[in-house]
Amino acid sequence: MARRGAPVDVVGVGRTFALGGGEVEALRGFEMHVPAGGFSALIGPSGCGKSTALRLVAGLDAPDEGTIDMDGASPDQMRRGQRIGVAFQDPSLLPWRTVSTNIRLALELVGRRHDTGSVDDLIELVGLQGFEKARPAQLSGGMRQRVAIARSLVTEPDLLLLDEPFGALDALTRQQLNDELQRIWTARGTTTILVTHSIPEAVYVADEVLVMSPRPGRVVAHHAIDFERPRTRELLLADEFHAKVEAVSASLHRSEGQVVQLEADDS
Amino acid sequence: MDRVPPRVLSAAVGIAVLALWELLARTVYAGSYRLSPPTLVVVDFFEYRDLYLRNLWHSTKTAAWGFLWGNLAAIALAGVASILPVLRRSIGAIALTVFCLPFIAVAPILRLITGPGNGTPITLSALAVFFTTYVAALLGFDTAPGSALDVVRSFGRGRLAAFRRVRLRASVPAMIAGLQIAAPAAFLGAVVGEFTGARSGLGILTVRALGALHTERIWVIALLSTIVATGGYMVIGALGRWLCPWAPALDVGAVPAARQEPGLLNRMAALLAPIIVVFVFWYAFLWVFQIKPFFAKTPFDVWAELFTNADAAETRSSVFGALGTTLWTTSLGYVAGLIGAVVTAVVFVLIPWLERALMPIAVALRSIPIIVTTPVIILFVGRGLLTTTAIVAVMSFFPTLVNCYAAMNRTPVGILDVLKSYDAGSAAHVRNAYLPTAVPALLASARIAVPTSLLGATVAEWLATGDGIGAVMVIAFTRNDYNVLWVSVAVLTLVAVIGYWLVAAFELRTLERVAPGASR
Ligand SMILES: Nc1ncnc2c1ncn2[C@@H]1O[C@H](COP(=O)(O)OP(=O)(O)OP(=O)(O)O)[C@@H](O)[C@H]1O
Ligand SMILES: [Mg+2]
């Protein structure tokens, strides 16, 4: 398998936002290590700093402390090298462009506007054939997210960052896209970080599931997932799959409980 | 540059402009009447302080009455349109027609009714605020949350109860935004009313000063008008922020056009209803005020004057020839103003420190009734065709700039993040984010700017240039030729309404493509 992604090493990262008069500490001592071509899933309670962490790795924001390194390059250098693909919680499509021109936007931005064949392939991949000429307002929420995913993939990035890209999808489509995501990842070997709220989803697609604490967020548990690939839907019924889901779920609850405990101690 | 507080930056820019102005006036323009040095303007103000303050007070009082009556009428009619949707289109047509009237030429006609006193400026001032407040109030009534309306309905109560209990309350933020624009507009109406004759007030003082080429006086008046009009705008804005701090800032000039119902029959009704309503109002106006036939012209008189009378051909050639000149100079200024505004907005959004330095000044200028400063522009540019173009350009520039910049600034962060994640450059940002997001605001501003541009052009022509339909009207006015005056008013109003419609139609078609769901 061709592994052409970049490794990601995040060490001791902190990020604090000014909000109104006060401050919000989103991340403190956040660490994560994704090997080249690895697939990590990030899971944690709402508001714990998952999106913040992903934006830092994407070079869209800078940490207040700590370092992020990708094979000797900083996130900003990776971003400037146009080696990153991102799909956010909010699909952020250009409302005046069609499905296919929205996907093509990424190609235009990296100076490969004539690569139209890959656009058609991706439209098929995310199941939007027949909607090439539709505008975002004419699509359902889930369809918009699929366009955003296609856009993040079309440039064949070395690092793929997905922030709850399947949030607005029904369970069936979601499973379909998880299969597709796995297939693309296996074929291309892109380093991938997926933020999700769904534990089974994380366990199904990732090599490793990282569980975060409530804000200020940091990684409090690592779960290596070593099911054989390609993973199929039969895995969803397997006992060892459920055991993993239980384990991740337990550490997520522990991490939430911890802070409740801490807050109780404070008062 | 990024660390200097905006206030300091703006103040510095303001001082620099003043210094440059003083320098130019004392060197390049020394001895000419084009530009007065600020210091002399201040000296002149203090020398004739009583005169200025007396007239300022007079115009402000006039504007205040116009503000009161115009807004009351607009809000009342918006209420009627909200409760009785069948009347909506007809009331909207009246409001638009009023907005499209060439005020400067309407003044002599109004004076037939109100007499030589203050009635005409007050009426014009009321007419000047009517349209924007009507649009704002109706928008406010429409924004009432559907769920709240459903609750009222679920208790078996009708539209009136829904209006009283939900819509009226929900409309406050939009209403205040409308009133904010109405403050300078009321001042504009008052001063334009005084331009054509009044016993006192800044308008008539300007006309006298323009005749005597009393440069300082014209500058003092322009500055005083600016201060009072901007003051009104700011006070109402502050009131709005205090009353409804949760409401987002809203500019009535950026509200998208109302969508039209589909179907040929509806289209025909949309076209015919306003025409019939306007004709009914026209006759009602003549009948209620019992104007003598020498002064009063019906739609048929206007038609006869243009097409069937013995000298119809002559009237046609003079009116339409002059109209051609006006339309040409106006469209030049209109297009220049719009393009300049978009380019400036792009520059501001790309260079934040420039925006912080200059935008407060642009916002202040956006709130001033530019027409009131027409005499200053006349002095500076001269009395040629270029004057009209310059005034129209300035008039369309500032509102469009403020609205387009605000829209660009609201570009969703997610879209900017996507562009940034591919390290897109400025050009890609402009093409893929800023320009397309500004399109709705640009089109709304362009639509509103059609009537205001024609108003500015006719005022400039009336006061100064001696060209175009404004000049035809001023000659007709001095010769008591009420036929030509009515014909000109009717033709100009029709042109403005058609221009407004054309832009609105283009706006709706474009919005469907660019920002689906943006139109109302
Ligand atoms: N630009 C910002 N300015 C101020 N505060 C911010 C900003 N971005 C994030 N925050 C704060 O940082 C914290 C973490 O936000 P983040 O969006 O990373 O959470 P999340 O884990 O992605 O949550 P969710 O699962 O709900 O998406 C939140 O408390 C949020 O209010
Ligand atoms: Mg998030």
Side-chain angles (χ1 to χ4, degrees), chain A residues 93-138:
Chain A
L93 305 178
L94 307 189
W96 49 88
R97 284 186 172 230
T98 63
V99 165
S100 66
T101 51
N102 256 298
I103 299 173
R104 194 153 68 212
L105 172 74
L107 288 175
E108 289 171 17
L109 292 175
V110 303
R112 283 164 38 197
R113 63 173 62 236
H114 301 295
D115 238 350
T116 44
S118 50
V119 174
D120 298 336
D121 293 347
L122 275 165
I123 288 178
E124 208 180 309
L125 186 69
V126 297
L128 285 174
Q129 311 94 303
F131 289 93
E132 290 85 352
K133 297 239 148 26
R135 284 172 207 284
Q138 299 163 312

Side-chain angles (χ1 to χ4, degrees), chain A residues 55 59-61 79-80 82 84-86 88 92-97 105-106 108-110 113 135 137 151-152 155, chain B residues 411-425 428 431-434 436-437 512-517:
Chain A
R55 285 175 53 85
L60 295 172
D61 189 15
R79 184 177 66 78
R80 288 180 192 286
Q82 303 181 318
I84 300 180
V86 284
F88 299 106
S92 298
L93 305 178
L94 307 189
W96 49 88
R97 284 186 172 230
L105 172 74
E108 289 171 17
L109 292 175
V110 303
R113 63 173 62 236
R135 284 172 207 284
R151 181 179 60 193
S152 72
T155 57
Chain B
T411 305
V413 197
I415 290 182
L416 294 179
D417 274 350
V418 168
L419 294 177
K420 196 177 169 196
S421 73
Y422 293 107
D423 197 38
R431 203 173 45 241
N432 290 308
Y434 297 134
T437 32
E512 258 165 45
R513 261 175 14 90
V514 166

Side-chain angles (χ1 to χ4, degrees), chain B residues 12-196:
Chain B
V13 172
I15 291 169
V17 169
L18 278 179
L20 185 71
W21 176 2
E22 181 85 27
L23 188 75
L24 282 179
R26 296 218 177 252
T27 55
V28 182
Y29 294 107
S32 88
Y33 53 82
R34 290 193 165 194
L35 202 60
S36 297
T39 44
L40 285 191
V41 171
V42 173
V43 168
D44 193 74
F45 170 73
F46 281 105
E47 198 169 325
Y48 299 98
R49 200 171 41 190
D50 291 342
L51 173 83
Y52 286 128
L53 291 183
R54 195 172 61 240
N55 285 289
L56 177 66
W57 174 235
H58 187 267
S59 296
T60 309
K61 231 170 30 189
T62 304
W65 281 114
F67 182 83
L68 179 71
W69 291 120
N71 287 323
L72 277 182
I75 293 171
L77 280 177
V80 172
S82 168
I83 297 169
L84 301 172
V86 272
L87 293 181
R88 209 168 168 140
R89 190 177 286 144
S90 306
I91 298 176
I94 295 289
L96 177 61
T97 309
V98 163
F99 188 52
C100 288
L101 287 173
F103 288 157
I104 187 102
V106 169
I109 294 173
L110 279 177
R111 193 156 287 117
L112 298 170
I113 303 164
T114 61
N118 227 356
T120 299
I122 291 179
T123 313
L124 276 188
S125 167
L127 293 180
V129 303
F130 186 75
F131 178 74
T132 43
T133 303
Y134 172 79
V135 170
L138 201 55
L139 177 75
F141 297 147
D142 285 348
T143 50
S147 52
L149 293 173
D150 286 343
V151 170
V152 175
R153 209 166 304 136
S154 73
F155 285 110
R157 305 293 302 272
R159 284 193 204 139
L160 206 61
F163 181 80
R164 255 186 351 114
R165 294 184 188 271
V166 180
R167 292 192 189 272
L168 211 53
R169 286 294 288 278
S171 72
V172 173
M175 202 102 85
I176 286 177
L179 295 182
Q180 203 180 357
I181 298 197
F187 203 80
L188 168 156
V191 172
V192 169
E194 292 164 357
F195 277 159
T196 59

Side-chain angles (χ1 to χ4, degrees), chain A residues 15-20 24-27 44-55 61 89 163-164 195-197 212 215:
Chain A
R15 180 75 177 100
T16 302
F17 294 106
L19 192 70
V24 180
E25 193 177 14
L27 297 173
S46 177
C48 73
K50 302 181 296 292
S51 297
T52 304
L54 218 60
R55 285 175 53 85
D61 189 15
Q89 257 172 311
D163 190 351
E164 287 180 55
V195 169
T196 176
H197 272 133
M212 285 178 72
R215 194 165 49 85

